[in-house]
Structure formats: C-alpha cells, structure tokens
Amino acid sequence: MEMEASAAEGGAAAAARTLRWAGRAGHLGGFPRAAVIAAVGAVAKAYASLLNTTTVHNADALLRLVSSRPPGTPLLTVSNHMSTMDDPLMWGFKGFPTTDAKLQRWVLTAEDICFRNVFMSYIFRLGKCVPITRGAGIYQDHMTEALEVLSTGDWLHSFPEGKIAQDDQPIRRLKWGTASLIVRAPVTPIVLPIVHSGFEKVMPEKSFFGRRPPVPLWNKEIHIIVGEPVEFDLPSLKQAARTVPQDSSFERKGWPSIMPDGLDEAAQRWLYQKISDKIQSVMETLRKRLLDLKQH
C-alpha cells in the first residue's frame, strides 16, 4: 500500500509539474506564449541564419505545408536527432516564420530533460512542447495530448529515433510512438520527413570538459533537406494487420484495441512496424541524398 501511495504521489507530482494549462492558447490572452516563441525564434534565427551557415534543400515543401495546408489537416514532421538544439534551431533558417506563435510547431520533448521543475515546465509549455515520459509507452497520457494536437489540425514535430546520435550513421530503428500517432489520429496527418546535419557541431555532447558547451557554437555549417509527404494506405494496412497470426513470443503490454477497427495488440505491433519501417527508409534515402549534395 505504501508503494502504491508513493507511486500515486509521484504521478500526481509529475502531472502538476508538466503544467498543461500553461500550454493552452488562451493562457493569459496568449501573450506569454507569443513572447516566448518570439524570443526563442529570434535566437534560432540568429544561430541558423547569422552565426552559422545554413543550407536548406526543398524548403518550399515545408513552408507550404506550415502556412497553407487544407483546413483541419494536421501536419506531422519527423526528423533525425543530432543534438539537444535541433529544435528550435532547425526552424531558424531564412524565410521561415520562426517567431509566429500561431504557425510554430508543437514538439514532443523528453520530460526528464525539459520538465525538471516548475519553471522549466512553464517555459517549455509556453514554447508549445508536449512532454513524453521515457519508458511509459505509446498509451501514456502525454501521447493522448499529442493526439489532441493533431486532432485540431495543428503541426506536431517528432524525433522518432527517440534519442540523440551524433555519429554520421544510417537512420536507426524508429520507436513506434510516431507510427501510433499516424494510425490513431482522428484525421490522418500529412507526414513530412526532414533530415539534417551540422547541429552535432553546434551543440556537441562532449566538447566542453566532456560536457555540452554552455551555449551553442558558431561558424559551423548546417545542412537540412526536406522530403516530400510520405503516403500511407491506412485502410489496406489495417486490413492486412487484421490477418496477422497471433505471436506468443512477445511480451504483451495490455494495449487497448483500436476502435472502430478492432485492431488488437498483435495487429497494432505489425502495423506500427510497417509504418515505422517506411518512414525510416524514406529518411535514410534523404540522408544519403544530403550527403551527396554536401559533396557537390
């Protein structure tokens, strides 16, 4: 009983610390959000457009979908994760509306890094960040919050690799959270892949006495490539998922069935893996294209 009470208290404390109310558009008339996004956007502009050299390929694809996609249609951008400063710096390139609070993205962020205390939680909430608890699975409450962002037709950004990798290696196996959002969203989002390099030099993990530098570095080259929307035939994929035989070798996590499709846990696993594999393949193709572009 004491352990249960302790866990409940811990959960309540975490819920209080994430300050979801501060992320609402109408909080104090929207002025705190506008101020934080404007300030963070200005810093991103300075580092991406002035202090470093940023080259963006196919930027129009992103600009078009951020500013003028069909009403009620959500946008889900996905990218590799090279540093703790990928977001917001990757949105600071010339011509991007980085300081516009209405157009700016929501982003999935690690709760243990960005929501350590009430002050940090408040600032990151104003910056349109959704906390994700590592190891809590794809059905945690925060994922429901991410679904609500998509349900309103907003833009959400995700790092589906799940953690930072600063070595120039192929795109790693993706976590299933992003795929689950695509499947469970009330309106299927437009999925736009982005791959970048150079942020690992702007904010290296181990360069300042074995730690990150106190501020982002400058005089670095940043390269970003925006792909085209990834198409998913969800009705056909769901139909195929229903025929997947039961596999007793994996540990069941007690996921609820997806309604009205009636997809059980085995079907969901198959479906999320298929979607994740496709996104990973598209991102890897983009990564190779970016390497080729950098060499010419």
Side-chain angles (χ1 to χ4, degrees):
M1 293 293 293
E2 290 181 2
M3 291 181 62
E4 291 179 1
S6 177
E9 290 173 2
R17 190 174 63 246
T18 58
L19 305 182
R20 185 173 179 181
W21 50 267
R24 295 173 183 148
H27 171 57
L28 295 180
F31 293 111
R33 174 188 286 185
V36 167
I37 295 244
V40 173
V43 171
K45 284 286 185 187
Y47 272 98
S49 301
L50 298 175
L51 300 177
N52 294 287
T53 302
T54 301
T55 303
V56 185
H57 305 277
N58 198 31
D60 287 345
L62 176 62
L63 290 166
R64 181 175 63 253
L65 289 173
V66 166
S67 59
S68 60
R69 61 187 181 277
T73 302
L75 172 64
L76 177 60
T77 51
V78 295
S79 76
N80 57 324
H81 204 3
M82 299 292 282
S83 79
T84 55
M85 296 300 294
D86 294 351
D87 183 288
L89 299 191
M90 64 187 294
W91 317 118
F93 62 86
K94 293 178 181 178
F96 193 82
T98 313
T99 58
D100 189 322
K102 291 183 178 179
L103 292 180
Q104 192 52 259
R105 88 292 169 266
W106 289 85
V107 61
L108 303 182
T109 54
E111 182 182 16
D112 59 318
I113 294 176
C114 301
F115 290 77
R116 295 178 183 174
N117 54 55
V118 171
F119 175 76
M120 292 180 66
S121 297
Y122 186 65
I123 296 300
F124 278 99
R125 279 295 188 181
L126 294 177
K128 300 175 77 170
C129 296
V130 177
I132 293 296
T133 305
R134 298 176 194 264
I138 63 175
Y139 280 99
Q140 61 178 279
D141 289 343
H142 296 316
M143 289 293 283
T144 301
E145 183 181 346
L147 283 171
E148 291 174 5
V149 169
L150 295 175
S151 71
T152 61
D154 276 347
W155 168 26
L156 178 69
H157 184 70
S158 169
F159 297 101
E161 291 177 297
K163 61 182 179 180
I164 292 170
Q166 298 204 320
D167 51 345
D168 191 11
Q169 298 295 322
I171 301 297
R172 294 165 299 169
R173 181 181 181 276
L174 306 186
K175 304 292 186 181
W176 288 348
T178 298
S180 77
L181 292 175
I182 295 170
V183 172
R184 296 162 58 201
V187 177
T188 302
I190 298 171
V191 181
L192 189 70
I194 302 171
V195 171
H196 52 76
S197 69
F199 291 117
E200 74 280 8
K201 298 176 182 177
V202 175
M203 181 56 76
E205 287 289 292
K206 298 179 180 179
S207 74
F208 190 78
F209 299 103
R211 302 170 64 90
R212 302 185 192 107
V215 296
L217 305 181
W218 50 91
N219 291 331
K220 310 298 180 184
E221 289 191 359
I222 299 167
H223 297 267
I224 302 172
I225 184 168
V226 180
E228 296 298 331
V230 183
E231 300 288 341
F232 296 100
D233 185 354
L234 286 184
S236 295
L237 285 170
K238 289 178 181 178
Q239 181 62 36
R242 292 190 189 97
T243 66
V244 173
Q246 295 293 324
D247 183 358
S248 59
S249 64
F250 68 81
E251 179 185 354
R252 294 187 178 277
K253 299 182 180 296
W255 293 349
S257 294
I258 295 180
M259 302 303 291
D261 304 293
L263 298 178
D264 62 14
E265 187 169 333
Q268 290 179 59
R269 284 173 172 268
W270 183 90
L271 185 58
Y272 298 157
Q273 191 60 59
K274 282 288 184 182
I275 292 173
S276 296
D277 287 347
K278 184 170 183 177
I279 296 174
Q280 180 184 6
S281 176
V282 170
M283 291 177 66
E284 177 58 17
T285 299
L286 279 179
R287 188 188 72 86
K288 291 177 178 177
R289 281 182 56 195
L290 186 59
L291 284 175
D292 185 61
L293 289 168
K294 287 165 60 178
Q295 293 170 359
H296 293 84

